[in-house]
Amino acid sequence: QVQLVESGGGLVQAGGSLRLSCAASGSIFSINDMGWYRQAPGKPRVLVATITRGGSTNYADSVKERFTISRDDAKNTVYLQMNSLKSEDTAIYYCNADVRTIYRLRSNYWGQGTQVTVSS
């Protein structure tokens, strides 16, 4: 099995910064794409940013120039640096990973989510 554990969420004032981390563990052979999604109250879960194994990134228009996704494959960890936070960034942030296990099975995994609250 594979587990994803997020950390780094919390309460921050508008204009502030937070750094989210997501560490994958378990029966991992390799990790392909990793990403962050978020879900605000009463709204669907939406993509925030993704990063491929080769380091190519993709961002939602609403976070471009403010958020930066990165990964450390030695630690099986993906990060999300969030700057210039706005109240509309308030949501539960979920980590996602496309994992090939040691059994050569490929599956998509989600973390449990971490709350980010931006006060105006």
Side-chain angles (χ1 to χ4, degrees):
Q1 289 294 337
V2 174
Q3 300 82 37
L4 301 182
V5 178
E6 300 108 333
S7 61
L11 174 64
V12 63
Q13 289 189 333
S17 298
L18 282 175
R19 188 192 194 207
L20 306 182
S21 300
C22 172
S25 62
S27 306
I28 298 169
F29 177 75
S30 64
I31 303 177
N32 301 307
D33 292 0
M34 303 184 81
W36 290 95
Y37 293 72
R38 68 186 181 187
Q39 187 169 18
K43 296 186 177 180
R45 190 175 301 186
V46 297
L47 180 147
V48 176
T50 60
I51 184 167
T52 69
R53 186 170 179 81
S56 296
T57 58
N58 179 53
Y59 295 92
D61 288 342
S62 59
V63 306
K64 283 180 180 176
E65 309 301 330
R66 299 189 298 122
F67 291 10
T68 302
I69 189 170
S70 61
R71 61 190 286 170
D72 184 338
D73 289 331
K75 297 180 179 180
N76 289 333
T77 299
V78 62
Y79 304 97
L80 186 68
Q81 178 66 44
M82 305 186 293
N83 299 328
S84 302
L85 283 160
K86 305 175 181 179
S87 57
E88 50 263 44
D89 295 318
T90 295
I92 299 174
Y93 283 70
Y94 296 91
C95 171
N96 178 270
D98 178 10
V99 178
R100 188 173 296 280
T101 70
I102 60 175
Y103 309 108
R104 298 300 190 265
L105 298 175
R106 184 175 177 177
S107 295
N108 195 261
Y109 294 89
W110 291 92
Q112 82 287 353
T114 185
Q115 177 71 48
V116 172
T117 303
V118 184
S119 62
S120 57

